[in-house]
Amino acid sequence: MALIDEKRRLEVLSQGGNPYAVKGLRETKEKFAAGQERTNQERESRYNQIAERLMSEQEYLAVKEEEADRVKAYEKKAIQELSREVVEARRAEYLMQKTKSGLPLIDPTSKKAQIFPSKEVLVETATFGLGLGDVEQALIDRVEQGIKVDPILRVKPEALHTSTRVLLDNELIEPDAMHLTVKPPRVDKPAAEPVQIEVTADDLPQQPHAVPELPGLWVQQEEARKLGPGNLSKFEERMQAEAHERHKNSLCKEQVVWGKVYEGPGFLCDPPVLRFVDFEPNRVYKRKVVITNVSYTFNYFKLAELDDTVKNFFDVTFKPPGRMSAGLTCDVWLTFEPKLNEDISTVVAFLGETGPFELAVECTVPKVELYFDPQAVLDLGTVEMDQERTQQLCITNRGNKATKYSVHVLDCTAVSDDGREFNAFGEDVVTFQKSGSIPAATVHRDSGGNVIDDYTKGRDPSKTYIPFTFKPNCGGEVNVSVEIRFGKDGKDLAPLKLTIAATGKLVPVFVELPSMAARPHLMQLDDMLKDHRDVSLPRIDMECCTAAHFFRDLVVLHNRSNNALKCEFRVPTAMQNLVEFHPDMCYVQANTEFGVQLKLTPTYETLERARSAGLILGEVSENQTFLVKVPVSVIVPERMPVKFCIVARITQPEIAISHSSIDFGACSVAEAVKVPVTLSNMSCLPQEIAFIKLPHEVSVEEKDLAGFFSLNPYPDSVTCDLLFQPSAAKVYEFEVQLQSKLNHVSKIKCIGEGKAPPLLFETPVIKFAACAQNQLVSHTVLLKNETKKSQQFEFGIPEDWPVTVYPSRGVLKPNENIRIRVDFVAEEEVVEAAEPVEQQPEPTEEAEAEAADTAEGTEDETGDEEDEDESESSEAVEEETKPKDRWETFTIPCFVRGYDSKCIYLEAQTCVFPSVLEVQCDGVDKYGTLALQFGELALGQARSQKIRLVNKHPTERCVVSVGSTLSHGPFAVQAAPRELPPGGFCDIPVRFRPLEASRFMERLQVFSNLANLSVCLRGDGVIPSLRLEPEYLQQDSEDQRGVVFNVGDVLQGERVVSSFSVVNASDQFELEYTIGRSITAHPNHSSRVPFDCIPSCATIERNGRQQVDVAFTPDHQSWRFRETIVVAIAGQKPKPISLEGRSWLRSMFLAGFDVPTDQVDDPFADEIQPELEEEQHVVLTMGVPGEVKELFVGNIEAMDKSKKNDKGEVELVLPADAASLGFEVEPTKLSLAPGDMNSKVSIKFDPKADQIEEGGLLKGEWVEIDVKCNMKGGFVPAGSPALFVYHVKVRGLVQ
């Protein structure tokens, strides 16, 4: 080897290398290869050991399974053999085998006199084996059958079998008596060819069997022949136990010195328990143990096997001392290398000559070790309400592991002295720190890195304090509990349940409200204001109080302490005049009470302060009623203030009057003017009021309002009529006073004028006799002229009134009388019939039967009372369903020319009662028949209308039936009528659906037991394609007057024509239109109408157009000419058009000013010699600042060539202060040629900001200027002045 190394060294040197480096590298590689080979051998050896263990375990399990199967089979077999059937069957089989006849009974017929056993049974006697006896052939055959053998092998057939050993791949497969397994190959036996060996019967038990894939019957027979080990006897058991004891005693021996036997362990360990405290995984710890021989003489020990679960973590090393004298020691080092973060508790076993001994080893991971002070109850003591106290829970951690804590509430309910339950933690009565961390203890280690195993010297524990603060808000004991959990999820340690006990002491001063105890229906506690403990404050409810009055109440202060206390009442600064306390500061002696007067004085100033201070609850109602809530504090030095609140509903003691002033106007001496006045109670309290100091000319029409009368709380109101009846022709100015019992006075300023009328009615009121519907009644009255000149009169009756006056106009000479006839027609559309009663559905037969059964069961109980109730209810129903009479009153105006009051009045009163049977439809058509008009309808469309039949008979029912319509016609009755009760009604729906363009008419017959009627059904099928031009006439208007069509301006007595067109856009049907008059606002003085439409009706051909000329011919000057016409177009809704025109006496005119709303449209108002007038006053009202309005000036061109029509001049003269007031007019001068009728004058009102602030203008003030518009030129009638002046009053509102 040395030569080889030297040779290699020389070779490396010759190559210039480092032989030592090469040698080191080569040795390293050789060592690595050797280590690799050794590792592979160890791995293969371990694999073989594991395989052997698995195979042995498999064999053991197989043996256990086989034994269990054998026990189960034995038990099953025993159960089967012990049953009665099995025993009897076995007994019968045995008898059949032993008897010669093969029967279980020897003599079943009982015919033999004597039975000889040898003749009946096959039982071998003693002579059978010697051949001396008489052997029966049956016995011989039976024995031979049992001992038949194979002629070749000379063995029994069931014992004939072979066994083979097969060697494949160096593996020997052998049978096993208990379990068949594959054993590892045997190295000592060479591989051999498979050999089949034939054995004899004598050798079979000692030879192994071949291993089949599936067990055969021969295996089962072999198992059956095996006999298991029997149970040990008591002797065998005792001997076995003695053998075990002898083996055990042979390991150790007693130590006897001088006749004294040593007892106990021969060695002692120091320390007796070796602890590795707070270890960390994957870190090596090493500690020494000293073992001392404490026996009497020499002794020795050795290390025993460690437990399999911990032997990988520990390594025990020591130098074997051999035989040790008594008292000698040996150092044993224990190395601990933990892999898991788990505690380990085990022992290291040693075996000594005198017996075994152990070393206890405890390994613990870092833990949390907590100690609490106090452990269960934390007592916070007794604390007053305005004080607080804090106690701490001390937590000591002796472990080397930190943790976190969290405090959770378990029981938070506490009860105050007044029995109220409250949440001690939710109301911050008890507060604490909810979470925190607990640091680990500080540990000390030895030189080896081990934690010193001593709680005093080995570590310094940490301390954590959790503060709990008690601040009571009421009196009473608090006993609540919390749970302190440790760790992130509360799983490090068991939680600590801590009870917190404390006692709250009440404040010494409290408030008593005696008036609230006497009014339990009021709220005793406030629902919004709360004290420091979130408890509702006590309240004094003053209920409803009126302004400008004061109210009192009592507040009692109680002092429950043993010292006198100073108490001072405080309210918000804004409420000091509203709420007062007398006295506001007092001393309440110990254990006594003190009464303080409360004064509430609601005034308008204090209420405004309350509103600005935010003490008004909710919204202020319409009657200026609102709820005031005033918080009050009782200040006690060095104590928490005692609070309560005052609530009052403040209302105004006023009576609202609908009129602050009344102008009765001009009234004749023989008449009276009635003005309705509404009195509203603006207070939330009832009031009694009365009219006082009424003048002689004024009276209240309602008799029940004479003297004081009551008004319920707001919004109750009453409407009364004030009648003014002058006694002389003069001007009256007076006041009507209304006074309440709260001493509140309201006044109404009234003015009126008494005049002597030129005409007088004989009686101002006429009363018609009662009449039925569609009946005409008449009445006459005498009209007198008591003046000394002729008087012209005219009655102004609306067209929709069912009243006609004859004559309607005329002239009465001085001291002349005329009789006036007044006719009244009770039309259906004016007089409403009795309110119809809904017809209840007819009950079915089943319902009637159930009602009858129920009535029979209760008939005897109800008796006469039910009959009386039914009669009363039937009378009430009959009274309600009976058609009622209707009273109508019409006030007919009669205009008198030249009368300042313009007209006198005639009142007509009547009563209308409904007819017995009534048909409600469209009324009588132009052909004089009762008709249901469908009008024009587009082809293919359907329209339904109803015919209402009303039974107005008070007692009799009406049975109605309807005839059928044509099956191929467009009309169809959609529902049959039903029987009508008295006062009931029934609607018959009729549908109209035309399929061709034509006119349709059918008669519908209505039959009944009261009357028979016929209704004419009419309808036209058309294609609706009509429209109006210009297009703005197609627009919908806001009122019934329709869209305005301006005909233009014209001179008095002349004629102007404007046109619009009716267009038929249909190409298949000729359509018709009609123009009717609806409302004439201002007619001519003559009988000629001012507006005339030509043609008023026409038929327009297909795709045709019809021009309608509207001629305006006024006979006097007026700007009021207006008439509403209705253009009825087939298939469309009637279109109203408002025709307007203006007539002028001069060709120069001014338009665009405000329409007077207070002027009466008198037919004679425009005929007071207008040619003599030189000026006219008009008003123009401006809107918001900055708005521009326009006035129109024009010069009408005369149609009559004889009238001289020159050029006209217009000049507008403004006052000097117009610009300073914000008015601008442009232009101020215009020149108008004849026919120039649409010149504009712009007027703008826009006051500047400096004008409002410094120019003397006030916001909300109306500013007026008088603009003079001078007009001259144009056509001027003869006798009229050349210059005409318009005084335009321009009004604007400063904002």
Side-chain angles (χ1 to χ4, degrees), residues 73 117 297 312 321 328 338 438 446 507 554 633 659 792 882 1213 1293:
T297 182
N312 293 330
L328 292 183
I438 301 175
D446 56 10
V507 292
L554 179 65
S633 299
H659 298 78
Q792 185 178 356
K882 182 179 179 180
V1213 181
L1293 179 63

Side-chain angles (χ1 to χ4, degrees), residues 863-874:
D864 298 336
E865 296 180 358
E866 186 173 309
D867 297 338
E868 294 178 359
D869 295 340
E870 290 180 356
S871 61
E872 292 177 359
S873 61
S874 62

Side-chain angles (χ1 to χ4, degrees), residues 123-395:
V123 178
E124 296 87 348
T125 60
T127 60
F128 177 77
L130 300 176
L132 300 177
D134 188 8
V135 179
E136 295 288 342
Q137 187 63 33
L139 182 60
I140 296 173
D141 295 340
R142 195 164 187 174
V143 173
E144 289 180 355
Q145 186 177 1
I147 60 174
K148 285 183 179 180
V149 295
D150 188 90
I152 300 177
L153 296 177
R154 305 301 296 172
V155 297
K156 295 182 179 180
E158 56 267 23
L160 184 60
H161 60 276
T162 59
S163 176
T164 60
R165 292 183 180 178
V166 182
L167 298 175
L168 297 175
D169 298 333
N170 296 330
E171 291 184 4
L172 179 62
I173 300 176
E174 295 182 351
D176 196 338
M178 298 297 294
H179 191 69
L180 298 179
T181 59
V182 179
K183 294 184 177 181
R186 295 183 180 180
V187 182
D188 54 344
K189 291 184 178 181
E193 294 295 331
V195 179
Q196 182 175 1
I197 303 175
E198 184 175 353
V199 297
T200 62
D202 296 332
D203 298 332
L204 286 178
Q206 289 77 23
Q207 298 296 328
H209 301 288
V211 180
E213 293 182 359
L214 296 174
L217 296 176
W218 60 277
V219 177
Q220 298 179 1
Q221 293 176 0
E222 182 178 359
E223 292 294 333
R225 290 198 303 270
K226 290 182 179 181
L227 296 177
N231 297 330
L232 298 178
S233 62
K234 293 183 178 182
F235 175 76
E236 292 174 342
E237 292 177 354
R238 189 179 76 251
M239 296 303 294
Q240 187 176 9
E242 291 178 356
H244 284 298
E245 188 67 21
R246 285 194 302 273
H247 176 71
K248 181 178 179 181
N249 295 333
S250 62
L251 296 177
C252 303
K253 62 181 180 179
E254 293 182 351
Q255 189 182 72
V256 181
V257 177
W258 289 18
K260 186 176 180 180
V261 178
Y262 177 78
E263 296 179 356
F267 295 89
L268 291 180
C269 299
D270 184 23
V273 179
L274 187 63
R275 293 186 177 90
F276 294 91
V277 183
D278 300 338
F279 68 84
E280 297 177 3
N282 300 322
R283 184 174 177 179
V284 178
Y285 300 91
K286 187 174 182 181
R287 296 194 65 177
K288 183 180 71 173
V289 179
V290 178
I291 298 178
T292 305
N293 182 9
V294 294
S295 62
Y296 295 155
T297 182
F298 291 96
N299 203 344
Y300 65 90
F301 70 92
K302 67 177 180 177
L303 180 66
E305 282 288 334
L306 292 175
D307 191 359
D308 292 340
T309 59
V310 298
K311 66 181 182 180
N312 293 330
F313 306 139
F314 295 96
D315 187 12
V316 182
T317 58
F318 64 95
K319 184 176 181 181
R323 289 177 59 84
M324 300 172 57
S325 300
L328 292 183
T329 61
C330 177
D331 294 339
V332 178
W333 293 90
L334 183 64
T335 304
F336 174 50
E337 185 178 2
K339 300 297 183 181
L340 301 176
N341 192 23
E342 296 179 358
D343 292 347
I344 299 176
S345 179
T346 184
V347 294
V348 178
F350 295 92
L351 182 60
E353 183 180 4
T354 58
F357 64 96
E358 296 176 348
L359 171 64
V361 179
E362 294 181 0
C363 307
T364 58
V365 298
K367 291 185 175 62
V368 179
E369 299 181 17
L370 301 181
Y371 301 90
F372 308 99
D373 183 23
Q375 297 183 357
V377 179
L378 181 63
D379 190 358
L380 295 176
T382 301
V383 184
E384 287 189 0
M385 288 177 57
D386 52 355
Q387 305 295 328
E388 67 179 29
R389 180 175 297 175
T390 302
Q391 294 285 353
Q392 294 180 342
L393 171 66
C394 179
I395 302 178

Side-chain angles (χ1 to χ4, degrees), residues 1138-1158:
S1138 179
L1139 305 178
E1140 291 186 0
R1142 294 178 293 274
S1143 174
W1144 307 97
L1145 190 61
R1146 299 169 178 265
S1147 64
M1148 297 290 293
F1149 68 94
L1150 175 67
F1153 43 81
D1154 296 346
V1155 177
T1157 58
D1158 57 343

Side-chain angles (χ1 to χ4, degrees), residues 605-737:
E605 296 180 357
T606 57
L607 296 180
E608 289 298 330
R609 294 179 183 176
R611 182 178 300 180
S612 60
L615 299 177
I616 303 298
L617 299 182
E619 298 291 337
V620 179
S621 60
E622 297 177 356
N623 63 335
Q624 294 298 316
T625 298
F626 45 86
L627 190 65
V628 179
K629 182 179 291 186
V630 181
V632 181
S633 299
V634 180
I635 306 300
V636 182
E638 299 181 357
R639 294 292 188 274
M640 188 172 295
V642 180
K643 297 181 179 181
F644 63 97
C645 67
I646 302 172
V647 178
R649 187 177 185 86
I650 310 300
T651 186
Q652 308 299 328
E654 296 180 356
I655 300 296
I657 304 176
S658 59
H659 298 78
S660 60
S661 62
I662 299 177
D663 186 0
F664 290 101
C667 178
S668 62
V669 177
E671 295 178 352
V673 178
K674 180 174 62 177
V675 176
V677 177
T678 302
L679 307 178
S680 301
N681 185 9
M682 304 305 294
S683 175
C684 291
L685 297 174
Q687 295 196 65
E688 293 186 8
I689 58 177
F691 289 97
I692 61 173
K693 301 179 182 180
L694 289 178
H696 177 70
E697 291 79 8
V698 178
S699 63
V700 181
E701 186 178 17
E702 288 76 5
K703 295 182 180 180
D704 55 350
L705 298 183
F708 279 95
F709 56 92
S710 298
L711 283 179
N712 292 328
Y714 177 84
D716 187 22
S717 62
V718 64
T719 302
C720 60
D721 295 329
L722 292 181
L723 276 78
F724 170 64
Q725 188 173 4
S727 58
K730 66 175 183 178
V731 178
Y732 292 87
E733 293 184 3
F734 53 89
E735 290 184 349
V736 176
Q737 295 186 9

